[in-house]
């Protein structure tokens, strides 16, 4: 079985071709970052137009790279939400059009399910597992009980963690999106302890029950220090202090999640914790989660960076999993700016 996946919910126009064994036959991602950088954030109108300009050629490149034509594809999967609605409509309509013309099954994919299932594509992780989904738009901890059955344990009450990284990046004068650059600055810090002492930052929600997050207080605390920074040395230390504060919060929230997971699945030996979304590429956070997971006799799996950030392969993989079970969608499927994961369960009944 071979499925094409199309992704256009934010600022990446992406298409990929994947088979049922998880072989990625092609994976083309075109980023619009340069179009948005001067605005310091993704501008929905610009994004939608750029997706429209790009989509046809990205789909063609994905087919060419895979050495296949549309006739060789068994199904077409496209993100139908959640995301910036203009972009979602572009990718969804491209997918529906190809499916209609070639009389192929269409699978309307929830973008978040793409991130949740990508460790099954990269590492064949089996259900059930614990998921930390951390991106520019989302900060969620979930249990993936089975396909389409995801239980939300916690989420951010305000900013998403990636948004917090991006805002801190902006305060430090770094390019957009700042997460990667904050991480690069932090990596130059030779004394993290000294950084934490020089810039004591809050750990919002740490020590509280449950798995919710909050990042707006951390962002404001970083801003307070920004006026008095003396040179690059201070910037490096502040970036490191911020990254460690985030990692500390992640560690604490995931500890609670592990205890919920093990209560729910007491007989699962060596359960998996997986991470997804752009922030999951952060090495400091990864190292903390690996340590936490080891200490609970669990296994930590993070897909490779190119499958953590938005891509078409993860959408194609959701298509493979759903199509294998005969779960397809009709042309009546709608594009949705909001699409809570819990609704996927109802969709399947
Ligand atoms: O999943 P993603 O590509 O797009 C969505 O938001 O759906 O995630 C992008 C986010 C941005 O906020 C970006 O700054 C952040 O992931 N990011 C990072 C790193 N690489 C990307 N944040 C922290 N450390 C990184 N290494
Ligand atoms: Zn994403």
């Amino acid at each position: 079985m071979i499925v094409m996946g199309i992704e256009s919910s934010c600022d990446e126009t992406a298409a990929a071709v994947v088979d049922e064994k998880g072989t990625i036959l092609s994976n083309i991602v075109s980023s619009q970052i340069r179009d948005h950088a001067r605005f310091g954030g993704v501008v929905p109108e610009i994004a939608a137009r750029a997706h429209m300009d790009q989509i046809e050629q990205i789909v063609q490149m994905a087919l060419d790279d895979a050495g296949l034509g549309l006739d060789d594809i068994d199904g077409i999967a496209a993100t139908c939400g959640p995301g910036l609605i203009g972009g979602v409509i572009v990718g969804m309509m491209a997918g529906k059009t190809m499916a209609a013309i070639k009389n192929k099954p269409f699978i309307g994919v929830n973008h978040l399910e793409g991130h949740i299932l990508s460790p099954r594509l990269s590492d064949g992780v089996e259900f059930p597992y614990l998921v930390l989904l951390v991106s520019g738009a989302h900060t969620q901890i979930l249990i993936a009980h089975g396909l389409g059955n995801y239980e939300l344990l916690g989420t951010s009450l305000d900013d998403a963690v990636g948004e917090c990284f991006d805002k801190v990046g902006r305060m430090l004068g770094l390019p957009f999106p700042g997460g990667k650059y904050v991480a690069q600055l932090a990596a130059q810090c030779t004394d993290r302890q000294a950084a934490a002492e020089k810039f004591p930052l809050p750990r919002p929600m740490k020590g509280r029950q449950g798995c919710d997050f909050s990042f707006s207080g951390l962002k404001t605390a970083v801003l307070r220090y920004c006026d008095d920074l003396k040179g690059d040395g201070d910037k490096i230390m502040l970036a490191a202090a911020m990254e460690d504060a985030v990692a500390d919060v992640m560690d604490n929230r995931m500890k609670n999640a592990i205890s919920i997971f093990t209560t729910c699945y007491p007989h699962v030996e060596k359960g998996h914790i997986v991470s997804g979304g752009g922030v999951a590429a952060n090495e400091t956070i990864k190292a903390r989660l690996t340590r936490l997971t080891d200490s609970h006799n669990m296994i930590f799996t993070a897909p490779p960076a190119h499958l953590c950030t938005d891509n078409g392969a993860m959408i194609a993989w959701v298509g493979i999993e759903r199509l294998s079970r005969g779960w397809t969608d009709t042309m009546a499927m709608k594009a949705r700016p909001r699409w809570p994961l819990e609704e996927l369960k109802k969709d399947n009944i």
Side-chain angles (χ1 to χ4, degrees):
M1 182 188 289
I2 299 176
V3 169
M4 162 165 283
I6 298 172
E7 160 58 32
S8 60
S9 65
C10 191
D11 58 347
E12 266 97 24
T13 317
V17 179
V18 175
D19 74 11
E20 83 280 357
K21 293 193 195 105
T23 312
I24 298 173
L25 303 171
S26 64
N27 192 15
I28 309 290
V29 181
S30 165
S31 169
Q32 307 169 359
I33 286 299
R34 264 179 297 157
D35 300 336
H36 301 286
R38 67 198 165 102
F39 301 102
V42 177
V43 183
E45 178 67 11
I46 293 176
R49 281 170 193 273
H51 285 304
M52 214 138 71
D53 289 346
Q54 291 270 310
I55 192 78
E56 209 176 318
Q57 111 188 45
I58 297 297
V59 165
Q60 191 58 54
M61 281 167 79
L63 286 170
D64 291 348
D65 244 31
L68 299 171
L70 262 188
D71 289 325
D72 305 312
I73 306 285
D74 299 302
I76 296 175
T79 298
C80 288
L84 301 174
I85 196 68
V88 172
I89 289 172
V90 171
M92 183 189 76
M93 289 314 293
K96 279 186 181 177
T97 307
M98 288 188 282
I101 289 173
K102 291 290 179 182
N103 202 19
K104 307 274 182 187
F106 174 73
I107 305 104
V109 174
N110 182 304
H111 176 85
L112 300 175
E113 189 173 32
H115 283 301
I116 291 169
L117 298 189
S118 56
R120 287 170 61 76
L121 166 63
S122 62
D123 296 85
V125 173
E126 306 244 357
F127 293 120
Y129 53 87
L130 198 53
V131 184
L132 174 68
L133 182 56
V134 278
S135 74
H138 296 94
T139 314
Q140 300 189 341
I141 300 178
L142 309 127
I143 298 177
H145 293 288
L147 187 67
N149 185 357
Y150 313 114
E151 181 184 347
L152 186 65
L153 300 183
T155 186
S156 178
L157 305 176
D158 40 57
D159 295 352
V161 61
E163 205 180 336
C164 180
F165 267 107
D166 294 343
K167 285 178 180 163
V168 167
R170 203 168 165 182
M171 292 172 203
L172 295 176
L174 301 170
F176 173 83
K180 185 172 82 178
Y181 302 101
V182 172
Q184 280 168 9
L185 262 194
Q188 295 174 46
C189 179
T190 48
D191 190 345
R192 312 280 291 212
Q193 183 66 35
E197 281 163 18
K198 180 159 189 173
F199 298 111
L201 291 170
R203 268 76 175 145
M205 306 300 278
K206 184 174 173 180
R208 295 234 202 139
Q209 278 193 333
C211 304
D212 283 338
F213 296 90
S214 163
F215 289 104
S216 71
L218 175 59
K219 176 190 69 188
T220 313
V222 172
L223 183 63
R224 268 207 323 269
Y225 290 122
C226 279
D227 288 341
D228 300 321
L229 293 181
K230 292 180 187 63
D232 287 348
D234 273 3
K235 276 193 187 176
I236 288 171
M237 286 181 111
L238 184 53
M242 182 269 177
E243 196 182 54
D244 283 345
V246 173
D248 231 12
V249 169
M250 293 283 159
D251 181 87
N252 178 261
R253 307 283 76 198
M254 283 303 286
K255 240 181 235 158
N256 289 358
I258 289 172
S259 111
I260 296 169
F261 182 82
T262 46
T263 307
C264 188
Y265 291 106
H267 304 301
V268 169
E269 274 180 41
K270 286 227 158 256
H272 276 267
I273 295 184
V274 310
S275 64
V279 183
N282 185 286
E283 294 297 338
T284 302
I285 294 174
K286 258 202 242 177
R288 279 297 284 276
L289 290 177
T290 308
R291 233 184 302 150
L292 175 71
T293 312
D294 288 349
S295 69
H296 286 82
N297 200 25
M298 295 175 84
I299 301 166
F300 178 64
T301 308
H306 68 283
L307 294 180
C308 276
T309 50
D310 289 353
N311 66 88
M314 69 181 189
I315 304 303
W317 179 252
V318 176
I320 293 269
E321 294 228 28
R322 290 185 161 259
L323 186 57
S324 321
R325 288 162 179 79
W327 297 356
T328 60
D329 297 292
T330 68
M331 293 294 141
M333 183 91 178
K334 287 194 177 67
R336 304 167 66 169
R338 277 182 41 75
W339 186 1
L341 281 164
E342 299 86 81
E343 291 180 19
L344 288 179
K345 208 168 162 187
K346 274 187 273 162
D347 286 353
N348 297 328
I349 293 169

